Amino acid sequence: MPRDCEVAIIGGGIVGLMAALTLAERGVPVVVFEKGTLAGEQSSRNLGWVRKTGRELPDLPLAMESDRLWDIMPQRVGRDVGFRRTGILYCVRNEAQLAPHEAWLDAVGDHHLGSRLVSNAEIADLVPGGQEGWYGGIYTPSDGKAEPQLAASAIARAAMAKGAVIIEQCAVRGLSLAAGRVAAVVTERGELPCKVAILAGGVWSRRFLGNHDVSLPTLPVIASVLRTKPIVGPTDIAVGAPDFSFRKDHSGGFTITQRGGFIAPLALDSLLLARQFAPVLRKEWRQIRLSLGRHFLDDLALPRRWQPTGPSPFEKQRTINPDVSQTLNAEALTNLRAAWPVFQGRTGSA
Ligand SMILES: Cc1cc2nc3c(=O)[nH]c(=O)nc-3n(C[C@H](O)[C@H](O)[C@H](O)COP(=O)(O)OP(=O)(O)OC[C@H]3O[C@@H](n4cnc5c(N)ncnc54)[C@H](O)[C@@H]3O)c2cc1C
């Protein structure tokens, strides 16, 4: 552990690591603390879609900037992170499902994204071998993908090469304040004075801030993802349908998920934030499956208040590792196989 730093970053997921790289490139002394292993949570388990399609308008400038950053990432980090502009296609089954895509296209008209509506015949050209008669879809050729298992470690290595210090297995328990400003981060291995702290703690940020009397209104959802061995698939385009999605990864296998199903584990926060999240629940209720399971008790057992002198919840759970929902994965595979039979019997999961 260095004696001090300019910026302390709490969390070694892709957000914390990218912030570290950016600061290190600018010569700012920066230290990243990760309670478990780098990118051990969301950042190595996601689908890897780099998407502008369907972004809410306020998010669109960020998505476009992110797109530009992925483009130059190989030069920045000196490694392949799997970024390819293979396009993203969403297929829909009826007019009601197409309507939000039409509205979105109208709204983003002057951003030159190259997104366009496509017919069933065009979908058949783009992704051969399909069995469904799609009502239509939306296609953005300039969207793409990156490889979660390559990107975070490449970014971490590049940040370290530029002088960033990264410390794994070291939780930040809290902040030490002086005159209302952050003066240090308090870690399980002692205090590190800093001028600025960046909280990039993913699903843990709410608990971290709660101990400092700041309410960050976030609730977790769990998605399950299936990965296949290399197979000959129908396309390199990432394809999303209402009840499945798939995309080819760098090894030639496919990443498949049930787009129509997320598990929302009920916990104390679900009650505390119920009013704020009611509109989302009303809008997305078809996709969200509420679950009252092990998570409820595990969550209750984790402290919400602690002293920085003693162990924090972040040391008790180094890496959050929710159970895979075999039901959701099986649904996704069944729906995909019905739509593109080329996936029948050839997917042996990895
Ligand atoms: C199934 C799934 C699919 C997804 N698909 C996509 C996709 O296709 N495209 C896309 O753009 N996004 C996708 N996402 C979202 C994307 O993965 C996240 O937005 C991104 O990984 C968030 O990165 P992060 O660094 O903020 O958080 P995380 O990756 O969660 O990193 C936070 C880190 O902080 C550490 N930490 C927390 N508290 C402390 C502490 N007190 N001290 C030290 N360390 C701490 C944690 O251990 C963790 O490693 C998907 C997510 C999931 C779950």
Side-chain angles (χ1 to χ4, degrees), residues 145-192:
K145 60 183 182 183
E147 296 302 338
Q149 287 87 30
L150 301 180
S153 56
I155 295 166
R157 282 173 208 275
M160 288 190 290
K162 299 270 177 198
V165 175
I166 298 180
I167 305 178
E168 285 183 296
Q169 303 292 327
C170 185
V172 177
R173 292 173 171 169
L175 303 170
S176 169
L177 306 179
R181 293 182 62 90
V182 171
V185 287
V186 185
T187 82
E188 60 183 295
R189 296 193 210 160
E191 242 181 73
L192 179 73

Side-chain angles (χ1 to χ4, degrees), residues 10-11 13-15 33-35 42-43 46-49 172 200-201 314:
I10 304 157
I14 197 159
V15 171
F33 291 99
E34 167 52 52
K35 65 179 168 60
Q42 295 176 79
S43 293
N46 60 57
L47 299 177
W49 293 33
V172 177
F314 316 115

Side-chain angles (χ1 to χ4, degrees), residues 52 110 116 125 150 154 158-159 163-164 213-214 216-217 223 225 229 238 246 249 283 297 299 317 325 339-340 349:
K52 301 178 290 299
D110 52 357
R116 61 174 205 270
D125 280 346
L150 301 180
D213 298 320
V214 176
L216 179 71
V225 182
K229 292 182 173 140
F246 65 94
D249 70 27
K283 194 169 155 224
L297 295 175
D299 180 73
Q317 218 174 46
S325 166
W340 272 281
S349 64

